[in-house]
Amino acid sequence: MSSHDGSHKLWGGRFAGGPAPELEAVNRSIGTDLRLWPFDVRLSQAWAAALATAGVYSAEEAALVRDGLDRVAARIAAGEQPIASDEDVHTFVDRLLHLEVGGPAGRLHTGRSRNDQVATGTRMWTMDAVERVDVFVRQVQEALLLQAEAHKDALMPAYTHLQRAQPVSVAHWLLAHFWALDRDRQRLAAARRAAAVLPLGSGAIAGSAFPIPRDQLREALGFAAISQNSIDAVGDRDFIAEALFALTMLGTHCSRIAEDLILFGSSEFGFVRYGDSYSTGSSMMPQKRNPDALELARGSGARMLGDLVALVGTLKGLPSGYNKDLQEDKRALFDAVDGMVLLLPAVAGSIATLRFEIGRMREAISGAMMATDLADYLVRRSVSFRDAHGAVGRLVREAEESGVDLSALPFSSFAAAHSAFEQDVLAELTPERSLSHRDIAGGTGPNSVAAQLDAARRSLL
């Protein structure tokens, strides 16, 4: 099946001469797509069996080709490298198969195109990749959950507009990040389902001219469905866009976890201390403890977003069917997956080795953070929330002008602010009391957080 120029290209007979070196350089994709080889071998073995069913191969020939592909896989796994004429992974595998089995290898490409072949291999790689990423996301969730279980009774300020807002349990804050990652895992699962549609049998664009049993292929390769339209099948990269969107959101959530912990680990907050094994030092300042893994996590969202935008920008202007622009799809996909597989274990380790400064977090809770509780106190005594809000606002202003905490004001100040205040109002100015009022489902109350912890454990089963 060698072409006129003595190479092993899968095309070339209609050209009088070989391609220019400059074209060869830009057209050669094996530096990127070589990692598809295990999937190219598997789909080629399934295709050989399908060709036997279609009458193109005898059963013996199909078995010979399948065994030859096993030997090809062993050679590549042992380190065999492509040669200059292997323009892509399909050419590489095909050349090695010819060396292993000779003539029957020349008929393996019957009825298929590199268009449906690469679409199938990329879908298989994507299904495998999102499952691998999911394992690492789960590890981050486990680290968050373990810290939440260890700190379910600890208290801290929660923030809005980066201003201290209301007290919450440390577990409640940690679980906020847990549930964001849970949504990421759902998106990854959806991306896998989107990838699990078999394009093999679509040929170059119009479908295979041979009676290929596509259901047999689907079952052999672990796909859930068969593509409905050959034109759409060879040009569809929606599944990559969906995977990249899931990874972009995952990168965004890792960035937000990192930003919280970077702030909380600063001297100004002092809420957490980074573990030695996930910290670095300064080349100049001996006192420094830098959260490099978290800072790299904070930058990850931009990288994933860049890959997503690059792909969608490529897809938006393409005419229907396969176009060579799609060779770029794997660069974005592989980069995003590689980046996340590298990053997530470091994020999980950074979280697992954190030490929470419980006393410092508790001390950061001031009486003013229970201002809403004071308003709620009045509402329970039939005061409108508008009036209650105004009365408490005046108390907050008085405390600020006096330079004292809201809890240090005398009861006379409360009585002057509103006649519905009684002596028991001072009990509302403790964070424990504030949390006790918020035992609604999804809230930060003790029973609610316990229920969240149970739900989080179940989600990881």
Side-chain angles (χ1 to χ4, degrees):
M1 196 169 172
S2 296
S3 69
H4 65 283
D5 63 356
S7 73
H8 199 80
K9 289 185 175 65
L10 298 176
W11 58 275
R14 59 95 65 225
F15 294 95
E22 294 83 0
L23 175 60
E24 288 269 27
V26 74
N27 195 51
R28 194 169 188 260
S29 63
I30 196 162
T32 299
D33 63 25
L34 179 59
R35 66 172 71 190
L36 293 178
W37 73 261
F39 306 99
D40 195 72
V41 167
R42 280 182 55 203
L43 71 87
S44 293
Q45 289 178 317
W47 188 253
L51 287 177
T53 303
V56 176
Y57 276 148
S58 67
E60 294 75 18
E61 289 173 323
L64 177 68
V65 169
R66 289 169 63 85
D67 289 345
L69 285 164
D70 280 334
R71 294 193 295 276
V72 167
R75 289 174 67 165
I76 300 174
E80 181 144 355
Q81 295 298 305
I83 60 177
S85 62
D86 295 328
E87 65 178 336
D88 57 26
V89 65
H90 318 298
T91 313
F92 180 38
V93 170
D94 189 75
R95 178 177 61 80
L96 294 182
L97 182 62
H98 274 75
L99 294 176
E100 291 292 337
V101 304
R107 281 182 285 154
L108 181 60
H109 207 56
T110 302
R112 77 176 180 184
S113 165
R114 280 190 297 181
N115 296 357
D116 61 346
Q117 190 176 352
V118 69
T120 302
T122 305
R123 284 176 178 270
M124 293 170 70
W125 190 92
T126 302
M127 288 189 285
D128 177 76
V130 295
E131 289 179 353
R132 285 188 288 120
V133 171
D134 181 75
V135 171
F136 292 118
V137 180
R138 192 179 189 280
Q139 291 175 2
V140 179
Q141 286 185 294
E142 288 172 342
L144 288 166
L145 181 56
L146 285 173
Q147 290 282 21
E149 289 175 329
H151 297 94
K152 61 180 180 293
D153 297 323
L155 303 181
M156 65 178 289
Y159 295 82
T160 65
H161 306 276
L162 205 55
Q163 306 294 313
R164 294 178 187 176
Q166 291 179 290
V168 296
S169 73
V170 173
H172 194 59
W173 166 73
L174 287 162
L175 290 171
H177 292 299
F178 179 97
W179 295 117
L181 295 176
D182 186 71
R183 294 193 298 276
D184 291 323
R185 294 184 67 198
Q186 293 175 40
R187 276 185 283 267
L188 288 168
R192 191 195 185 284
R193 290 193 295 272
V197 178
L198 177 74
L200 196 59
S202 298
I205 196 168
S208 177
F210 295 83
I212 297 298
R214 297 190 72 202
D215 270 324
Q216 176 182 317
L217 288 170
R218 177 193 59 75
E219 185 174 354
L221 296 175
F223 283 84
I226 294 170
S227 59
Q228 297 295 313
N229 182 287
S230 59
I231 300 173
D232 176 55
V234 297
D236 172 23
R237 296 298 185 274
D238 293 4
F239 68 97
I240 298 181
E242 292 184 40
L244 289 176
F245 176 71
L247 292 169
T248 298
M249 291 306 302
L250 174 58
T252 299
H253 291 143
C254 286
S255 178
R256 295 188 70 181
I257 294 170
E259 174 64 5
D260 273 3
L261 291 175
I262 291 166
L263 284 173
F264 290 170
S266 66
S267 299
E268 285 71 21
F269 279 79
F271 289 177
V272 299
R273 180 179 174 86
Y274 311 122
D276 285 353
S277 55
Y278 287 91
S279 302
T280 64
S282 166
S283 61
M284 178 179 286
M285 297 169 285
Q287 82 280 11
K288 292 297 291 301
R289 177 187 291 267
N290 299 325
D292 280 12
L294 296 173
E295 290 174 0
L296 290 169
R298 190 169 55 185
S300 67
R303 178 178 176 183
M304 307 305 146
L305 176 60
D307 290 324
L308 173 61
V309 171
L311 178 75
V312 175
T314 299
L315 296 179
K316 74 174 187 62
L318 293 183
S320 58
Y322 181 82
N323 296 271
K324 192 67 171 182
D325 314 48
L326 293 177
Q327 183 168 293
E328 295 298 309
D329 62 353
K330 289 170 286 299
R331 296 185 194 278
L333 176 63
F334 295 166
D335 178 69
V337 171
D338 289 350
M340 205 46 79
V341 167
L342 185 66
L343 175 71
L344 289 169
V347 174
S350 296
I351 294 168
T353 56
L354 286 174
R355 188 180 79 195
F356 286 82
E357 302 292 348
I358 301 303
R360 181 73 175 259
M361 299 173 92
R362 178 65 175 78
E363 289 169 3
I365 300 173
S366 65
M369 294 174 63
M370 271 65 76
T372 302
D373 295 277
L374 294 180
D376 292 340
Y377 173 97
L378 292 175
V379 169
R380 293 188 189 99
R381 284 154 177 77
S382 301
V383 178
S384 73
F385 188 80
R386 182 184 184 89
D387 290 342
H389 191 287
V392 175
R394 289 189 291 275
L395 285 169
V396 171
R397 185 172 68 249
E398 179 182 343
E400 288 180 348
E401 292 172 349
S402 301
V404 300
D405 188 73
L406 187 62
S407 60
L409 290 176
F411 176 70
S412 59
S413 295
F414 289 86
H418 202 286
S419 60
F421 280 125
E422 298 179 9
Q423 288 285 348
D424 63 351
V425 68
L426 299 180
E428 298 296 322
L429 293 171
T430 65
E432 290 80 8
R433 185 65 169 265
S434 178
L435 265 65
S436 73
H437 290 312
R438 288 165 173 79
D439 247 340
I440 189 172
T444 191
N447 294 322
S448 175
V449 168
Q452 275 194 77
L453 289 168
D454 288 340
R457 291 188 205 100
R458 290 195 301 273
S459 76
L460 295 180
L461 295 178

